[in-house]
């Protein structure tokens, strides 16, 4: 399509003037305001038009519309090109607010934050569904209308296209002179031979052909590029396909999250997820109860490049997957390489440290021990976690922990200077009082509600925050008991380890801490049976698009006049159906090739040798 | 090394820009010199000597007949124009070297952060411009292309520069290569389509005014193709861009599925990719809708490319989202 743009070329479609040109235009059941659609229908045109409803505005001009009339009118408006265009642009505009305001679906914390920052505006915006733009009533109505319009457009066009595929090319216009690429040649030969040669030539070039005859004149009407319309229909239908699969298909899957600390095992059952969002039609009984153990969560940090020192360059979770039938295998999950097992895809979406903390009562009895996932706060993995000890001590106890994988300051405020475990320090702020978890209101494992608690270490309390390195133990204030930061590389025994004094940097320097704290992986586990279908439709969209934009649909006419004495006058012209930059060149090429057979020389040498074309009926098409 | 090559490229682009600008200025004056009914091909054949047409003497104002026929005034190859193109090629080669060196230094494709994307994206814009010129003469867009590229490169090296750094795990994927490269290519096409649509609008205005037999300010337009031709060309370029953009969107979805566990989540960058896609779909529809062909659809192409630029700058820098790979 690129090479044909020489200076003589006119734009293939120079505007809406071509409608009904030369009476050749059949009814085209695209929307009435489509550029290609015939404004008026020539009664002599092809036999494809049927009586009902496809003329231009017949119903609208009826004096009384009536209910059905109004419906028809409305439907016609809805399925017009102008409406489609308007809805498309409206859709683009409507999508904008969702990028300006945080969305619940993609950024729930952002929404909470927004409410905090704009307490007056936020509730109002919420009423407008500005935090759920893409599921909002207004956004949905735009795209639903658009798709109704689309379906209303595609169905009649598909039917028409099937008819067109079986129909003969339309009658040759009486006057070709005003059509695209018009050219005339003179030649010698017989009328029948020339017409037959044109027919054969166009047919072998992939045109559908029909021959028409008048006294002293024979003409070939040819059309090609039906695939263009096919592509267009495939494209639009596949869009509907995507919408439907995403809309309904999403209901058959689920999405769940689970945080797994090294050594922990997840069994694919409902209760094992930290959060679980089933689709409407999902049946939890269909979960395949495989089990998955996180054996290792490895992170590699950049150490060569000083400018990017400490930047993560690889996350790899190694897992042991055991199928229901007992088959077990070791697998890895990486960021761009999800694991597919048991009908689910498992994605590695986050990781961090999970310090193991043990709390003992004053007698040395363990009242709590667990590896607590701490949420990373920055690139150096300064992390925050919460420990809640509801039972076993004199008071309910809550602790807010800050973990620094490589603590870099001489004295508080502390910070982490490197994300790996070089010099890990955990500080704990301790609260006693009511954890607020007995009331039955759900509370997050990552937040501590300190409203009805008293701070007893750190912050404004008398005692300093507790500070621990792996393997160390400290006394809780008020003789409540002890806290131990377990060294994952050297787990402590059951007996209470000796209480160390203030942590002592000198005593621990040079120690290898690289395995002293466990890591966790945060995994997303999804099941989406329709994903493959979405991909198929997407590929159809792409294929349809390419076909419909690049295959030219055009008509070409060759008309041969017998001007007496064995002399012929041959006319050639074309008509673009849609954008067709190469039309003029194509008509010229047809003319050159065809007329070459009827120059005086050619006629003398090989009379009638063109007439060996296959003896098919003119309109037969494979 | 890469930076030095890039700065040299920018310097050469700047000279090319000036050459194109001189060419445009000469076009304006050549219109004065080309006599009314005289064969306007005189200037075209003038080769190095643009002022050859001056021999026709009389100054002419544009009357209604000549320009509206849509045939470009025969204005051929001026020296400035040729110099402009030659310099653009030189600058592009330097630019390419800068890009390759950056890629070698990083040991990966050079489009993993904003700086690199700007560098590769502009490289592709110029490449699209040069390649298009092999088929159609769009050299009159030279000022626009080199100007745009200079601004973007300037912005990138001053504000977005980051040292070479390894790929974060989320970007370690074959889709980085495919998705981003195709995106950059469609941006290159949209940029050219944008330039053509702007000229088309100007040309259309001139043509409508010319019908009223008034002389107009931007006389150089008379040397350019008619608005119909510009529109057809812009459309052809934009639809190729649109197809590639469609592919970008789909490839992005596939990648998102692998990296983030869902193929579509209305992340800000996804939203804007979608918006751009819908605008250009609107453009294609407009071209097929009665009453929307011509200037109205050209505006849609212009809005579309503005959205592309907005997506690359404002959305990358100020909007929050998962695509936080600007490196800043
Ligand atoms: C979801 C909404 C829609 C989208 C995204 C969309 C997109 C597109 C695209 C990209 C094209 C150009 C490629 C091709 O020709 O296949 C196109 C063409 C076309 N669309 Fe749509 N479309 C939508 C809805 C509609 C509706 C509702 C109608 C009918 C009123 C319609 C009628 C057409 C027609 C007639 C063409 C051919 C244009 C031509 O002749 O160049 N489309 N559409």
């Amino acid at each position: 399509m690129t090479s044909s743009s020489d200076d003589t070329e006119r734009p293939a479609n120079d505007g809406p003037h071509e409608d009904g040109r030369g009476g050749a235009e059949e009814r085209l059941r695209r929307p009435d305001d489509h550029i290609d659609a015939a404004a008026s229908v020539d009664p002599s045109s092809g036999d494809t038009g049927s009586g009902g409803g496809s003329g231009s505005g017949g119903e609208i001009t009826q004096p009384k519309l009536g209910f059905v009339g109004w419906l028809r009118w409305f439907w016609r408006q809805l399925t017009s090109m102008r409406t489609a265009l308007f809805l498309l642009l409206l859709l683009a505009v409507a999508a904008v607010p969702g990028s300006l305001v945080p969305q619940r679906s993609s950024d729930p914390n952002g929404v909470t934050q927004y409410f905090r920052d704009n307490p007056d505006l936020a509730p109002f915006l919420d009423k407008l569904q500005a935090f759920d733009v893409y599921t909002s009533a207004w956004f949905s109505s735009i795209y639903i209308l658009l798709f109704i319009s689309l379906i209303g457009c595609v169905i009649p066009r598909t039917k028409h296209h099937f008819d067109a595929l079986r129909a003969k090319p339309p009658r040759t216009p009486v006057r070709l002179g005003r059509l695209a690429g018009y050219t005339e040649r003179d030649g010698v030969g017989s009328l029948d031979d020339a017409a037959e040669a044109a027919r054969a030539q166009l047919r072998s070039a992939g045109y559908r052909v029909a021959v028409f005859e008048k006294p002293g004149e024979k003409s070939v009407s040819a059309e090609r590029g039906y695939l263009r319309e096919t592509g267009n229909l495939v494209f639009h239908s596949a869009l509907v396909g995507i919408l439907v699969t995403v809309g309904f298909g999403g209901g058959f899957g689920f999405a769940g999250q689970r945080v797994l600390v090294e050594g922990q095992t997840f069994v694919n059952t409902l209760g094992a997820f930290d959060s679980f969002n089933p689709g409407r039609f999902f049946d939890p009984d269909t979960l395949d109860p495989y089990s998955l153990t996180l054996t290792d969560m490895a992170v590699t940090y950049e150490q060569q490049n000083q400018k990017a020192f400490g930047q993560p360059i690889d996350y790899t979770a190694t897992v042991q997957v055991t199928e229901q039938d007992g088959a077990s295998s070791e697998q890895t999950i990486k960021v761009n390489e999800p694991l597919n097992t048991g009908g689910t895809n498992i994605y590695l979406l986050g990781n961090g440290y999970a310090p193991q903390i043990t709390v003992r009562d004053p007698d040395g009895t363990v009242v709590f021990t667990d590896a607590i996932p701490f949420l990373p706060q920055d690139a150096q993995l300064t992390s925050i976690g919460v420990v809640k000890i509801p039972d076993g001590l004199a008071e309910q106890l809550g602790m807010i922990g800050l973990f620094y994988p490589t603590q870099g300051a001489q004295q508080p405020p502390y910070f982490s200077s490197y994300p790996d475990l070089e010099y890990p320090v955990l500080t704990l702020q301790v609260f006693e009082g009511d954890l607020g978890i007995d009331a039955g209101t759900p509370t997050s494992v990552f937040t501590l509600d300190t409203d009805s608690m008293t701070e007893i270490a750190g912050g404004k309390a008398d005692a300093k925050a507790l500070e621990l390195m792996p393997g160390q133990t400290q006394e809780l204030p008020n003789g409540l008991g002890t806290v131990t930061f377990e060294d994952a590389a050297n787990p402590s025994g059951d007996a209470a380890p000796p209480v160390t004094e203030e942590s002592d940097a000198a005593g621990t320097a040079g120690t290898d801490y690289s395995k002293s704290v466990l890591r966790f992986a945060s995994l997303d586990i999804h099941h989406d049976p329709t994903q493959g279908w979405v991909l198929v439709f997407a590929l159809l969209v792409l294929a349809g698009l390419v076909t419909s934009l690049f295959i030219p649909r055009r008509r070409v006419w060759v008309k041969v006049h017998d001007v007496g004495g064995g002399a012929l006058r041959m006319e050639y012209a074309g008509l673009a159906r849609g954008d067709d930059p190469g039309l003029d060149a194509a008509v010229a090429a047809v003319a050159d090739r065809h007329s070459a057979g009827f120059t005086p020389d050619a006629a003398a040498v090989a009379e009638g040798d063109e007439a060996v074309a296959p003896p098919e009926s003119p309109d037969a098409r494979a | 090394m890469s930076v030095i090559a890039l700065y040299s490229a920018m310097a050469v682009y700047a000279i090319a820009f000036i050459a194109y600008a001189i060419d445009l200025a000469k076009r304006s004056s050549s219109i004065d010199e080309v006599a009314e009914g005289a064969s306007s091909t005189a200037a075209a054949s003038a080769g190095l000597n643009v002022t050859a047409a001056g021999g026709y003497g009389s100054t002419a104002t544009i009357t209604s007949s000549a320009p509206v026929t849509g045939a470009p005034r025969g204005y051929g190859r001026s020296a400035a124009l040729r110099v402009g193109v030659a310099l653009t090629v030189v600058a592009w080669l330097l630019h390419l070297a800068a890009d390759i060196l950056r890629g070698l230094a990083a040991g990966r494709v050079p489009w993993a952060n904003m700086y690199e994307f700007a560098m590769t994206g502009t490289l592709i814009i110029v490449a699209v411009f040069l390649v298009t010129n092999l088929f159609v003469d769009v050299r009159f867009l030279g000022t626009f292309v080199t100007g745009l590229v200079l601004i973007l490169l300037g912005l990138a090296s001053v504000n977005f520069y980051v040292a070479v750094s390894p790929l974060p795990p989320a970007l370690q994927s074959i889709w980085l290569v495919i998705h981003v490269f195709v995106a950059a290519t469609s941006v290159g096409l949209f940029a050219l389509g944008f330039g053509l649509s702007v000229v088309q609008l100007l040309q259309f205005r001139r043509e409508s005014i010319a019908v009223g037999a008034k002389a107009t300010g931007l006389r150089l337009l008379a040397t350019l193709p008619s608005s119909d031709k510009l529109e057809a060309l812009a459309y052809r370029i934009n639809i190729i861009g649109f197809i590639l953009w469609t592919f970008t969107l789909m490839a992005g979805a596939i990648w998102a599925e692998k990296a983030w566990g869902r193929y579509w989540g209305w992340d800000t960058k996804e939203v804007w990719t979608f918006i751009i896609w819908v605008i250009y779909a609107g453009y294609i529809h407009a071209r097929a809708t009665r009453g929307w062909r011509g200037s109205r659809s050209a505006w849609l192409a212009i809005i579309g490319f503005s959205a592309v630029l907005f997506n690359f700058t404002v959305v990358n820098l100020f909007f929050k989202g998962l695509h936080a790979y600007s490196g800043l």
Side-chain angles (χ1 to χ4, degrees), chain B residues 107-324:
Chain B
R108 57 172 162 72
V109 289
W111 51 77
N113 53 48
M114 253 182 107
Y115 171 69
E116 291 170 356
F117 185 77
M119 191 153 120
T120 308
T122 46
L123 183 75
I124 292 175
I125 291 179
V126 180
V128 168
F129 170 67
L130 291 174
V131 169
T132 307
N133 263 309
L134 297 179
F135 300 102
V136 211
D137 183 358
V138 288
R139 290 175 299 172
F140 55 87
L141 286 179
T143 27
F144 162 71
V145 171
T146 48
L148 177 75
V149 164
L150 272 173
I151 293 174
L152 290 176
L153 281 179
L155 262 178
S157 34
V158 174
N159 296 323
F160 307 156
Y161 182 80
V162 286
V164 170
S165 59
L167 278 186
L171 292 189
Q172 293 167 14
S173 164
I174 180 69
W175 292 105
L176 172 70
V177 182
I178 303 172
H179 167 75
V180 184
F181 183 79
V182 175
T185 311
S186 51
V187 169
L189 288 157
F190 285 153
L192 207 61
F194 167 84
L196 287 167
S197 295
V198 171
V199 182
Q200 177 203 334
L201 286 180
L202 294 174
Q203 186 72 293
F204 182 75
R205 229 197 61 188
R206 189 186 68 91
E207 286 165 359
S208 1
I209 295 173
V211 169
K214 270 181 274 167
T216 85
L218 272 170
R219 283 166 310 185
L220 63 95
L221 286 169
T223 64
L224 305 183
S226 70
S227 65
D228 278 353
K229 268 197 129 167
L230 288 168
E231 177 178 1
L233 188 57
Y235 178 70
R236 261 185 279 166
I237 289 181
N238 278 329
I239 56 174
I240 304 176
F242 179 76
I243 288 172
L244 295 182
W245 194 258
T246 309
F247 180 82
T248 303
L249 195 145
M250 289 171 183
I254 296 175
W255 188 7
E257 190 274 324
K258 297 256 178 278
W260 301 328
R262 86 286 183 293
Y263 52 82
W264 195 262
W266 297 107
D267 176 64
T268 45
K269 204 70 199 241
E270 290 170 348
V271 170
W272 277 93
T273 305
F274 173 77
I275 290 173
I276 290 164
W277 188 78
V278 173
I279 294 176
Y280 278 99
Y283 165 76
I284 293 175
H285 274 207
R287 286 255 324 164
T289 307
R290 212 167 274 159
W292 275 79
R293 211 167 241 244
S295 298
R296 288 201 197 179
S297 63
W299 275 111
L300 286 179
I302 290 171
I303 295 171
F305 185 64
S306 314
V308 170
L309 285 182
F310 184 82
N311 189 23
F312 173 63
T313 53
V314 179
V315 175
N316 269 1
L317 294 176
F318 302 111
F319 286 25
K320 202 176 146 200
L322 288 170
H323 280 79

Side-chain angles (χ1 to χ4, degrees), chain A residues 1 28 61 79 85 95 132-133 193 232 289 449 502 554:
Chain A
M1 66 158 293
L28 180 68
T61 54
T79 56
L85 178 56
D132 309 279
V133 167
D193 286 352
N232 185 300
D449 179 4
E502 278 279 293
R554 57 173 68 130

Side-chain angles (χ1 to χ4, degrees), chain A residues 28-330:
Chain A
L28 180 68
R29 244 170 269 161
R30 289 191 179 180
D32 285 345
D33 54 346
H34 184 271
I35 288 265
D36 252 5
S40 62
V41 178
D42 188 322
S44 74
S45 72
D47 47 6
T48 50
S50 70
S54 65
S56 51
E59 287 83 358
I60 299 177
T61 54
Q62 282 169 8
K64 261 193 272 163
L65 276 173
F67 180 65
V68 178
W70 277 110
L71 273 185
R72 271 170 185 262
W73 179 84
F74 178 75
W75 181 246
R76 189 189 294 269
Q77 292 307 306
L78 185 63
T79 56
S80 78
M81 283 299 275
R82 205 162 283 129
T83 308
L85 178 56
F86 172 73
L87 289 172
L88 267 174
L89 297 180
L90 198 62
L91 186 69
V93 173
V96 174
S99 71
L100 304 175
V101 178
Q103 296 297 299
R104 288 210 172 85
S105 56
S106 55
D107 184 12
N109 298 331
V111 176
T112 319
Q113 184 68 33
Y114 198 90
F115 267 87
R116 222 173 293 139
D117 298 346
N118 308 282
D120 299 328
L121 187 59
F124 173 69
L125 288 180
D126 202 18
K127 280 223 176 62
L128 299 178
Q129 299 175 300
F131 301 108
D132 309 279
V133 167
Y134 306 104
T135 49
S136 69
W138 44 276
F139 190 81
S140 311
S141 35
I142 295 173
Y143 76 74
I144 289 171
L145 269 181
L146 181 59
F147 273 88
I148 293 176
S149 166
L150 177 58
I151 293 166
C153 209
V154 161
I155 290 176
R157 274 173 63 190
T158 310
K159 181 182 171 302
H160 175 261
H161 187 51
F162 272 118
D163 291 344
L165 282 177
R166 275 179 275 117
K168 279 204 289 186
R171 195 176 299 279
T172 311
V174 183
R175 270 171 292 126
L176 291 177
R178 290 183 53 218
L179 294 171
Y182 178 75
T183 169
E184 268 184 39
R185 305 285 158 98
D186 291 320
V188 290
S190 88
L191 191 61
D192 289 344
D193 286 352
E196 175 53 27
R199 194 195 70 79
Q201 178 188 334
L202 287 166
R203 233 189 98 63
S204 65
Y207 284 82
R208 190 108 56 85
V209 291
V211 179
F212 297 95
E213 216 175 336
K214 278 186 191 172
E217 168 190 313
K218 256 191 156 178
S219 65
V220 180
S221 171
E223 176 155 7
R224 58 158 290 167
Y226 293 83
L227 211 52
R228 183 187 186 92
E229 179 73 354
T230 310
N232 185 300
L233 293 171
V234 166
F235 168 83
H236 284 91
S237 313
L239 282 182
V240 179
I242 290 188
L243 186 79
V244 172
T245 1
V246 172
F248 288 98
F252 292 98
F254 71 82
Q257 284 80 38
R258 172 66 197 254
V259 167
L260 266 190
V261 180
E262 283 171 316
Q264 287 183 350
T265 298
F266 157 83
V267 180
N268 187 29
T269 51
L270 213 46
F273 289 93
D274 296 334
S275 71
F276 189 78
N277 308 305
R280 239 164 308 166
F281 316 117
F282 180 71
D283 174 8
D285 291 343
T286 58
L287 281 177
D288 173 6
Y290 61 83
S291 82
L292 178 148
T293 305
L294 181 67
T295 49
D296 183 41
M297 175 67 233
V299 185
T300 318
Y301 296 100
E302 177 65 42
Q303 291 187 310
Q304 316 288 313
N305 183 340
Q306 287 305 313
K307 292 202 175 100
F309 198 73
Q311 189 179 307
I313 46 180
D314 184 56
Y315 300 126
T316 303
T318 308
V319 295
Q320 190 73 30
V321 180
T322 309
E323 303 290 344
Q324 230 182 324
D325 60 13
S328 180
S329 63
E330 189 177 86

Side-chain angles (χ1 to χ4, degrees), chain A residues 529-554:
Chain A
T530 55
Q531 206 159 282
W533 285 107
V534 175
L535 184 66
V536 168
F537 282 123
L539 292 176
L540 282 176
V541 162
L542 202 59
L545 190 62
V546 172
T547 322
S548 84
L549 289 178
F550 287 144
I551 293 202
R553 174 146 183 209
R554 57 173 68 130

